[in-house]
Amino acid sequence: MVPFSILDLSPVADGTTISQSFAASKRMAQKAEEFGYTRFWMAEHHGMPGVASAATSVILGQIGAVTKTIRIGSGGVMLPNHAPLVIAEQFGTLEALFPGRVDLGLGRAPGTDMRTAQALRRNLDAGANSFPNDVVELQQLLGTPIENQAILAVPGNDSHIPIWLLGSSLYSAQLAAMLGLPFAFASHFAPDMLLDAIAIYRDRFQPSSELDKPYVMVGVMGAVSETDEEAQYHFTSAQQQFVNLRRNVRGPFPRPVRDMDAFWSPMEKMNVEHTLRYAVVGSPATAEAQLNDFLKETQADEVIISMPIHDIEARLKSVELFAGLGNFMRAAA
């Protein structure tokens, strides 16, 4: 059994507004629930005109309100940007609103450029260095209060919201193993250390009250359409976005193009294709083969899929077609 989940950044597609982006995310979450996805997570990013999910807990409240059963959560909240108490209160509020449906995924990076990170008013060095202590503090704030506990998260305490550690290197894999927490690797944009991180996490995992054995989620970017050509066309939006990041060009999420060779240089093409080498792009048959290879390589317990597609109708169709692959994978398992 390989559950499928979705990671959404509420993309601000070129030619649309932020309000339309949020409406599209709500539709996507409803479609994901309809087709049996396990989770709908949103990611914290700041200062990016093409990404609207900066106030992650706020938009998750809207996602929870238009769904009934799918789990909602962060993929992730960037903990160095925040005091643990604030996150405990925010996600404690979500848990009170949507009992038994909330996940808290935590990342160690700021999720933005350094100037914007400084504007978030946290000591960035101290925040990153204190990440393990902040995670443990969050666990206590979300757990059962001990006698005479001085600081209480209200809402939050006694909610026991599941905490996940997210990472794109070996650091979070080691910490997740030490704390006995589920681990999600950002292989959708950072593929290089994926297999080493999974191996370290599984080898060093210490059972905890939260988890008795390792649990690995892996990320892929994807676009599934009726044909390979259509899927590849839609995926050019993501490819352009990664080139723009490297060029330090800020703008809305790009419209797809028919010819990427007219957009990127050979070196940019090589770098982006390396970064997105685990992407699942194509017709259902092509995507099925790619996903099978990826699951054989990683032996992952769950796959979380980011679908960076400009047109919302094509995005919703991809959600539906990916779900068909999920049904195939579950049946094959």
Side-chain angles (χ1 to χ4, degrees):
M1 301 288 288
V2 183
F4 281 20
S5 295
I6 286 180
L7 175 65
D8 184 42
L9 278 65
S10 208
V12 185
D14 186 20
T16 68
T17 67
I18 289 176
S19 294
Q20 290 172 313
S21 299
F22 292 149
S25 289
K26 289 190 281 188
R27 289 183 64 193
M28 192 176 180
Q30 290 172 318
K31 181 70 73 171
E33 183 171 79
E34 176 187 349
F35 282 94
Y37 288 80
T38 299
R39 311 171 207 278
F40 190 90
W41 280 7
M42 304 196 76
E44 176 189 347
H45 290 279
H46 300 278
M48 299 178 67
V51 175
S53 54
T56 313
S57 61
V58 178
I59 184 59
L60 283 174
Q62 293 295 303
I63 298 298
V66 299
T67 55
K68 296 178 180 178
T69 58
I70 194 168
R71 297 191 67 86
I72 61 173
S74 57
V77 159
M78 301 297 109
L79 193 52
N81 297 340
H82 311 280
L85 177 60
V86 171
I87 299 305
E89 291 172 341
Q90 290 177 356
F91 278 77
T93 299
L94 289 170
E95 175 63 24
L97 290 168
F98 314 109
R101 293 176 56 199
V102 178
D103 299 320
L104 176 53
L106 300 173
R108 191 169 64 102
T112 187
D113 62 274
M114 288 300 102
R115 285 189 177 183
T116 304
Q118 290 168 357
L120 290 166
R121 303 187 184 186
R122 288 278 280 170
N123 183 324
L124 296 181
D125 291 334
N129 292 334
S130 65
F131 183 69
N133 292 333
D134 286 349
V135 173
V136 172
E137 183 179 344
L138 251 178
Q139 287 182 300
Q140 182 58 57
L141 289 167
L142 295 172
T144 301
I146 61 175
E147 187 176 357
N148 298 320
Q149 183 170 317
I151 300 173
L152 296 175
V154 183
N157 73 84
D158 231 2
S159 62
H160 303 281
I161 297 167
I163 290 177
W164 293 65
L165 292 192
L166 282 55
S168 57
S169 66
L170 306 183
Y171 181 96
S172 290
Q174 297 176 69
L175 183 60
M178 183 178 71
L179 296 177
L181 296 173
F183 177 55
F185 193 88
S187 38
H188 58 299
F189 68 83
D192 291 338
M193 297 186 186
L194 169 64
L195 299 181
D196 287 341
I198 291 175
I200 286 173
Y201 171 69
R202 287 174 173 152
D203 183 59
R204 301 184 185 181
F205 182 84
Q206 299 294 315
S208 67
S209 58
E210 285 76 25
L211 199 62
D212 61 357
K213 61 181 181 180
Y215 192 94
V216 174
M217 176 192 284
V218 290
V220 299
M221 283 199 185
V224 179
S225 301
E226 296 294 348
T227 66
D228 288 348
E229 292 75 19
E230 183 183 359
Q232 290 161 1
Y233 168 70
H234 288 302
F235 198 63
T236 62
S237 293
Q239 292 170 323
Q240 291 175 77
Q241 185 182 45
F242 273 83
V243 172
N244 286 338
L245 283 172
R246 285 158 174 78
R247 293 177 179 176
N248 197 29
V249 174
R250 297 188 180 193
F253 187 63
R255 299 174 188 270
V257 296
R258 291 294 177 187
D259 182 15
M260 276 299 295
D261 287 335
F263 180 82
W264 56 15
S265 70
M267 182 61 70
E268 288 171 332
K269 177 181 180 180
M270 183 178 68
N271 288 336
V272 171
E273 288 182 344
H274 174 80
T275 298
L276 302 180
R277 73 172 187 254
Y278 289 128
V280 176
V281 180
S283 66
T286 298
E288 176 187 303
Q290 293 170 346
L291 202 50
N292 256 325
D293 289 343
F294 185 60
L295 289 173
K296 287 177 182 177
E297 188 174 15
T298 61
Q299 295 296 302
D301 300 293
E302 187 169 339
V303 176
I304 190 163
I305 307 152
S306 174
M307 300 188 200
I309 298 172
H310 181 276
D311 178 72
I312 181 55
E313 300 304 330
R315 202 182 312 160
L316 296 176
K317 185 64 176 178
S318 185
V319 171
E320 179 181 345
L321 293 174
F322 252 112
L325 305 184
N327 291 333
F328 173 86
M329 295 298 170
R330 284 188 277 273

